[in-house]
Amino acid sequence: VFFQIFDAFKSRLHDSNSKVNQVALETMHKMIPLLKDNLSPVINMLIPAMVDNNLNSKNPGIYTAVTNVIQALCQHLDNYLLLQPFCTKAQFLNGKAKQDMTEKLA
């Protein structure tokens, strides 16, 4: 059930409607402190959905929301869980998103 919920939620994290996208990111930000390391089974699916289009967004609301989510992940999850997905994203993103992910890795 956990996978089914987050599989459906993942689509909202990169929805073409920016308002839906932003609300999904803000909701994710609220869920992270509650779920913490319980997110480990879905973290490799969620991180790409969160950062792929959002971290280079020109929409300030979306950019702020995704950076807040990344910060919450770093605060509430074991860094070991984040290392691989963050490395992968830092390797394949471009522009400001690549810079942001590289800074988080450092």
Side-chain angles (χ1 to χ4, degrees):
V1 173
F2 200 65
F3 282 103
Q4 292 171 330
I5 291 169
F6 279 96
D7 196 38
F9 187 74
K10 175 182 78 168
S11 300
R12 303 293 65 86
L13 291 168
H14 49 81
D15 197 280
S16 59
N17 182 325
S18 62
K19 291 178 183 177
V20 170
N21 192 345
Q22 185 173 339
V23 169
L25 289 164
E26 291 166 353
T27 302
M28 189 72 221
H29 181 249
K30 293 174 186 173
M31 290 188 317
I32 291 168
L34 301 172
L35 295 174
K36 298 182 181 176
D37 287 340
N38 291 320
L39 286 171
S40 63
V42 294
I43 204 69
N44 288 326
M45 167 182 59
L46 287 177
I47 289 177
M50 288 185 279
V51 302
D52 281 352
N53 297 322
N54 300 321
L55 209 48
N56 272 329
S57 178
K58 295 187 183 349
N59 180 320
I62 289 175
Y63 180 78
T64 299
V66 74
T67 54
N68 287 340
V69 167
I70 292 169
Q71 186 63 36
L73 287 170
C74 293
Q75 287 176 334
H76 297 285
L77 270 73
D78 186 337
N79 288 340
Y80 176 77
L81 296 172
L82 302 174
L83 184 60
Q84 183 61 46
F86 277 19
C87 282
T88 302
K89 288 290 107 191
Q91 183 178 4
F92 293 107
L93 289 171
N94 56 28
K96 179 133 177 64
K98 184 178 191 92
Q99 178 183 343
D100 288 345
M101 290 308 296
T102 303
E103 287 173 7
K104 281 298 171 196
L105 279 167

